[in-house]
Amino acid sequence: MSSIRNIMKSFYHENPIGKLLLSPFIYYRNYIMSDKTYILKRFKRVMGYNLDLNNPKTLNEKIQWLKLYHNTPLHTQCADKYAVRDYVKNKIGEKYLVPLYLSTTDPNEITPERLPEFPFIIKTNHDSSGGIIVKDKTTINWIEIQQSLGRRLKKNYYHHSKEKQYKDIKPRIIVEKLLIDKVGNIPNDYKIHCFNGDPKIIQVDSDRFSNHKRNLYNVNWELLPFTWSIWENNEPVWENGTTIQKPESLSTLIDLAKTLSKDFYYSRIDFYVVDKEIYFGEITFHHGGGTEIIFPKKWDSFYGDGLQIPINQG
């Protein structure tokens, strides 16, 4: 099924006839189909079983419930990669923020003259499409960058993901310092999954731009016996990598995650550690859209039991 969908995606994005034929279906899915119907259908297709919104049991089911029934202005602020900076500053302090060089709503302002000489990353604040890494400004086609950013600013990520916190974010471009260590490597990404303000799973993504691996630890830095990943060809895309040394700042990372997550039922608090310095990454409320497979499945149920949500309010 996934191979068929990949063919359809390529047909849509790379062939003008494909875009013409499939556009009505995309429009119906994004703008007419109800959020609940979309989420039920996608969950069954990806996860292989029916989503029970009346009595969700697994962690991924509860993430779907939160996606549909729990959203506040604070969720919107914290999903906004620009506005969340104020939340972080007030909660744990400005020193944990990645240095910000530029913020604008006009892609034409993204020019080499306005940007620093040292490495930086260009992002949009309202989606999850990653960033544009710039290490040498002289090698960049700035017209293409501006056009790409302009297209991204016009998209409302909510229509793609059905995650309501993205719906009311005012799109903008931000340029931040590129975090690299002393030898020029991109640091590991420490993603701390918090349940009712209590860190439970520490996800470490390594080699994200080459040979992406994902290890999962508990707060005692013991490797957990499952994968949490997109699946292709009947196997996880992100398998466990080599053993990762426990960071010296682990207890600090856990304490910071507790502070930033205490306002939410479930959240994933991301950090980077660069030469012993801690930097905040982002806050995510529905990891993987609630459709990344936890395998073996018993761990999806185990962690689902540990997340308390107000189901009777749905």
Side-chain angles (χ1 to χ4, degrees):
M1 181 65 71
S2 61
S3 61
I4 295 175
R5 292 187 63 83
N6 289 336
I7 291 171
M8 296 297 287
K9 284 182 180 179
S10 297
F11 184 50
Y12 176 79
H13 290 291
E14 300 173 8
N15 191 312
I17 297 176
K19 189 173 290 289
L20 178 66
L21 293 176
L22 296 177
S23 287
F25 299 98
I26 302 297
Y27 183 87
Y28 174 77
R29 183 198 67 186
N30 289 351
Y31 300 100
I32 298 177
M33 182 184 292
S34 73
D35 291 359
K36 183 176 181 180
T37 298
Y38 175 88
I39 287 171
L40 288 169
K41 287 179 174 293
R42 176 171 171 77
F43 190 88
K44 175 63 181 296
R45 174 172 55 80
V46 177
M47 305 299 287
Y49 64 98
N50 289 320
L51 169 61
D52 185 353
L53 290 169
N54 295 318
N55 189 27
K57 296 289 190 182
T58 67
L59 177 56
N60 275 309
E61 282 185 300
K62 289 186 176 182
I63 289 174
Q64 300 298 339
W65 188 95
L66 290 169
K67 188 192 298 186
L68 272 171
Y69 299 122
H70 186 66
N71 184 61
T72 69
L74 185 58
H75 284 78
T76 297
Q77 178 188 353
C78 290
D80 182 330
K81 293 181 179 65
Y82 179 72
V84 72
R85 295 175 66 90
D86 283 337
Y87 180 79
V88 173
K89 179 180 177 181
N90 292 333
K91 288 286 187 178
I92 61 175
E94 191 172 13
K95 70 177 183 178
Y96 295 107
L97 294 172
V98 178
L100 178 69
Y101 298 137
L102 179 66
S103 169
T104 180
T105 58
D106 182 0
N108 293 319
E109 292 186 2
I110 303 300
T111 61
E113 297 80 15
R114 296 174 59 88
L115 299 171
E117 294 301 325
F118 36 85
F120 54 87
I121 184 167
I122 307 170
K123 305 176 181 178
T124 47
N125 67 322
H126 67 300
D127 60 17
S128 64
S129 300
I132 302 165
I133 292 175
V134 179
K135 294 184 178 180
D136 181 353
K137 293 193 297 185
T138 64
T139 64
I140 301 299
N141 185 323
W142 292 99
I143 299 299
E144 286 187 2
I145 295 294
Q146 291 169 358
Q147 291 174 345
S148 174
L149 292 170
R151 290 190 294 269
R152 286 173 64 171
L153 290 179
K154 293 176 182 178
K155 294 181 179 179
N156 189 321
Y157 188 65
Y158 155 75
H159 295 301
H160 168 76
S161 69
K162 305 302 183 183
E163 297 177 68
K164 295 177 182 176
Q165 69 270 22
Y166 293 108
K167 190 172 186 178
D168 296 322
I169 295 177
K170 182 180 179 181
R172 68 172 50 244
I173 303 162
I174 56 176
V175 182
E176 295 178 334
K177 178 182 179 179
L178 179 65
L179 298 179
I180 50 178
D181 62 23
K182 291 178 181 178
V183 296
N185 294 325
I186 301 292
N188 290 339
D189 200 349
Y190 297 91
K191 301 175 182 290
I192 304 180
H193 298 257
C194 301
F195 299 7
N196 309 106
D198 189 10
K200 293 292 187 181
I201 301 171
I202 303 173
Q203 169 188 329
V204 187
D205 287 281
S206 57
D207 296 328
R208 286 168 292 136
F209 300 99
S210 54
N211 184 30
H212 190 171
K213 299 293 183 182
R214 173 178 293 174
N215 287 8
L216 301 166
Y217 297 92
N218 62 22
V219 294
N220 297 317
W221 207 251
E222 297 165 333
L223 188 66
L224 294 170
F226 59 88
T227 57
W228 195 354
S229 175
I230 296 170
W231 277 51
E232 291 182 358
N233 301 318
N234 296 315
E235 60 183 26
V237 172
W238 303 308
E239 297 179 327
N240 289 340
T242 57
T243 301
I244 296 172
Q245 183 177 354
K246 181 174 73 172
E248 295 179 11
S249 56
L250 179 62
S251 61
T252 302
L253 292 171
I254 290 171
D255 288 342
L256 293 173
K258 285 182 180 179
T259 300
L260 292 174
S261 68
K262 67 181 181 180
D263 294 319
F264 312 107
Y265 292 111
Y266 166 81
S267 58
R268 196 195 75 207
I269 314 295
D270 297 1
F271 296 100
Y272 303 99
V273 180
V274 184
D275 301 324
K276 299 185 179 181
E277 295 291 329
I278 296 172
Y279 294 96
F280 166 80
E282 63 179 83
I283 299 179
T284 296
F285 296 110
H286 312 115
H287 170 76
T291 53
E292 286 190 6
I293 295 172
I294 297 176
F295 181 82
K297 186 181 175 181
K298 68 178 182 180
W299 293 101
D300 202 353
S301 298
F302 175 83
Y303 284 102
D305 288 342
L307 175 61
Q308 304 304 312
I309 60 175
I311 298 172
N312 59 333
Q313 297 179 19

